[in-house]
Each structure stands twice: as structure tokens, then as C-alpha cells.
Amino acid sequence: MPLVTTKKMFEDAYKGGYAVGAFNVNNMEIIQGITRAAKKHNSPVILQVSAGARKYASHGYLVAMVKAAAEETGLPIALHLDHGPDFETCKACIDGGFTSVMIDGSHLPYEENVALTKQVVDYAHAHGCVVEGELGQLAGIEDDVNVSEEDANFTDPDQVYDFVTRTGVDSLAIAIGTSHGAYKFKPGQKPQLRFDILKAVEEKLPGFPIVLHGASSVNQDDVKTINEFGGEMPDAIGIPEEMLREAASMAVCKINVDSDIRIAMTAAIRKHYSENPKHFDPRQYLTPARDAIEGVVSHKIETVLGCSDKA
Ligand code: G3H
Ligand code: 13P
Ligand code: ZN
């Protein structure tokens, strides 16, 4: 099956009260782990590539591998640019086989975010590609940009209608208290999300797909495994799964996960190495890593996203 845009995925997800998972990919094993889980559950899936991933693996390899996964699985798979930093990067992805791009102007003054996002939307729509914009800013680290907790700011529901109608974006990422990376809440802190903001956004934009970034849950067993086998991860608290499920039942149609995959992969490799110190064939440790990714994604599809059998 050729790559698809997220248009129908989001229409179905909105109506069905579920969300589609958007997982960051950097190499073949990650792509295979994710798409094997999607295949097992007959689920649509979004594979997303950050600017850093493009630099690491190169555009051509990633596009070719994602296309191979779509052909092999026969599933609806969208290839999405995550946190597109500028028009040029979005254009390169639109011209180079992506079906969806995010332009992240969330750090810009409002009018500049509107102008940049509209420029990307005009180009993308003329080339059959969809666009995700962002209003509000999450805390955490993406590529080289580190947004401190003090600089993060929640989305203002009074801006969303104006932003969406003036830019023409197809989906909107909002900030309601999630954040990027493994350390979302401090030890002892009670995780909280601003569902009141999500509800207000939903009322301003009925039927419009909302995106949640920074949505890893940080599996405590994986953190324990990493530390048991030589790692030094500080206590990490993620977004509780029941909160993500609730968001998915509301207007949230796309849930972004990267850190959970990184943590599962690292735990599997550390465990493998500790039990098999003599191994030096990368296939020996990448096999359990790929299996662990499949397990994480499978669990998300079943318990958080609710997108089983929606392909
Ligand atoms: O939100 C950012 C994603 O986790 C991608 O991370 O920029 O290190 O590839 P990255
Ligand atoms: P996590 O760091 O919570 O996995 O978020 C990933 C993300 O939002 C990618 O855009
Ligand atoms: Zn993100």
C-alpha cells in the first residue's frame, strides 16, 4: 500500500473516540518494531522523522525503509516530519516523499507563527501533503532546543480558531502539560494535565484533530532494568496511561511517543549485554531491542490509543 496522509486516519479517529500513535523512527529496527506491532493489531500508524533523525539516518534511507514497511504490511502508514524547524526543511520533505509535515512555529511570536505556518500549508496543500501546526510550548528537549519549565506555556484556547482558520492547518498540537523527554514530572509530583484547556479547544474547533506531543508514559520496569544493568537514569515520571486514554477519547487524534521507545530499546540492549557479555554480532542485541519496541507499541495500541482493527 502506498503511504497515506493523516486525513482519513484523523476523521475516523475523531469519530471513533481513539487516537493514532505517532512514533519517532531513526533506523530499520525501530521501523520494523513499530510496524510489526501495528500489523499484529491491524492498526493505522504514523512514522515520524525529526530533523535530527534525518541528519542521523539520511532522508533517502528513512523514506525507502518506511515505504518498504507500508508495502510489506499493507497498512495505512503516514510518513510525517516531526517538529519541522523551517520552510526549507518542510519543503524538502514534501518534495521527497513525506505525506505529512509539522511546522513548529510555537516558539515564535503569534503573527510570525501564523505567517510561517501558512507558507508551509500553501506549499504542502498544492503538493498533496497535510500540515500540523503548534500553538503553546511544551517543556523539554527536542533536537538542540531545550525549553525550560518556566518558558513552557499552555495553549490559549482563545487563539486556536484564529490560528487554524488563518493558516489552514490540518491538525494542531497543543500544550496542556505534557513535555518532551523522560523527565516530565519530578519525583513525588502528581502528574496533571489541563483537560480544561483541551475541552475548551474542542469547543472552539468542533471536529478538528488535536495532537499531543511529549506523551511517553515512562515504563518503570524499563527504567529499573536500565539501572539494574549498569545504567544511571534518574527517577523518571511520564504521563499516566489513563490520562492519555482520556485525551484519545476526546479531540486528540495523534499521540506522539519517542522516549518510551528509546527507553525500551536501551533496557533490552543493556539486559542482553549483561547476560551475554561475549556477543559482538549487532543482530544479537538488536533482535531483543526490536522485540521490545514491538512490545511497547503493541501495549500502546491496546491500552492507550484504542486503534486496534482500525486500519
Ligand atoms: O520531540 C522530539 C522527538 O523526541 C525527537 O527527538 O529531535 O532527538 O530526534 P530528536
Ligand atoms: P516523548 O519524549 O514524550 O516521547 O515525546 C515525543 C514527541 O513529542 C515527539 O514529537
Ligand atoms: Zn514533539
Side-chain angles (χ1 to χ4, degrees):
M1 186 170 186
L3 297 176
V4 299
T5 74
T6 53
K7 196 167 169 33
K8 183 168 183 315
M9 275 184 199
F10 289 167
E11 279 167 13
D12 292 347
Y14 199 102
K15 280 188 220 134
Y18 62 89
V20 179
F23 302 98
N24 287 72
V25 299
N26 293 279
N27 67 15
M28 182 187 77
E29 285 76 12
I30 299 176
I31 293 170
Q32 290 177 333
I34 297 164
T35 53
R36 284 178 188 183
K39 183 71 185 167
K40 189 162 102 192
H41 293 283
N42 190 31
S43 160
V45 70
I46 299 165
L47 299 182
Q48 56 187 14
V49 168
S50 68
R54 257 179 110 235
K55 199 160 133 198
Y56 171 77
S58 97
H59 182 101
Y61 276 89
L62 290 169
V63 172
M65 288 191 290
V66 170
K67 281 188 175 163
E71 251 168 58
E72 194 175 287
T73 59
L75 293 172
I77 296 180
L79 174 56
H80 174 76
L81 170 66
D82 189 30
H83 295 284
D86 48 43
F87 177 78
E88 289 68 31
T89 309
C90 291
K91 181 178 182 301
C93 289
I94 295 163
D95 294 344
F98 282 49
T99 54
S100 172
V101 295
M102 174 188 191
I103 176 68
D104 185 354
S106 61
H107 54 289
L108 297 172
Y110 182 75
E111 286 301 328
E112 287 176 39
N113 188 3
V114 170
L116 175 61
T117 304
K118 182 167 167 24
Q119 186 191 10
V120 172
V121 169
D122 289 346
Y123 189 80
H125 286 180
H127 293 83
C129 197
V130 292
V131 180
E132 173 185 325
E134 178 163 351
L135 259 186
Q137 236 187 329
L138 275 65
I141 304 169
E142 315 149 6
D143 278 332
D144 297 329
V145 184
N146 187 347
V147 181
S148 71
E149 258 178 75
E150 306 80 69
D151 290 335
N153 59 293
F154 295 120
T155 302
D156 177 356
D158 286 334
Q159 286 183 330
V160 297
Y161 181 81
D162 183 73
F163 186 81
V164 164
T165 47
R166 284 173 63 200
T167 59
V169 281
D170 303 277
S171 62
L172 182 70
I174 62 168
I176 59 167
T178 60
S179 60
H180 289 111
Y183 310 105
K184 301 182 191 300
F185 299 101
K186 297 191 179 78
Q189 199 181 357
K190 193 165 169 272
Q192 266 175 338
L193 294 187
R194 292 288 304 272
F195 280 99
D196 58 321
I197 295 180
L198 176 56
K199 187 99 200 80
V201 168
E202 192 176 306
E203 278 162 14
K204 302 270 181 191
L205 296 170
F208 191 81
I210 299 302
V211 178
L212 213 53
H213 282 246
S216 278
S217 293
V218 187
N219 182 303
Q220 296 302 306
D221 290 340
D222 283 344
V223 174
K224 227 194 277 166
T225 302
I226 288 175
N227 289 341
E228 192 181 330
F229 296 113
E232 294 184 6
M233 266 190 87
D235 279 350
I237 303 176
I239 311 296
E241 291 183 342
E242 59 278 12
M243 290 189 187
L244 296 171
R245 186 71 207 104
E246 188 176 346
S249 74
M250 297 168 70
V252 170
C253 295
K254 172 174 180 269
I255 291 189
N256 283 13
V257 171
D258 185 4
S259 298
D260 279 345
I261 286 180
R262 296 177 177 192
I263 293 168
M265 217 177 161
T266 303
I269 292 172
R270 278 202 178 272
K271 182 166 186 290
H272 182 85
Y273 254 105
S274 152
E275 290 166 355
N276 304 278
K278 291 191 179 140
H279 281 177
F280 59 88
D281 178 342
R283 291 173 297 188
Q284 290 171 313
Y285 55 86
L286 289 175
T287 297
R290 183 171 60 189
D291 290 346
I293 296 166
E294 183 179 338
V296 168
V297 173
S298 200
H299 176 80
K300 302 260 173 213
I301 290 172
E302 280 181 316
T303 62
V304 171
L305 300 163
C307 56
S308 274
D309 282 322
K310 308 290 187 189

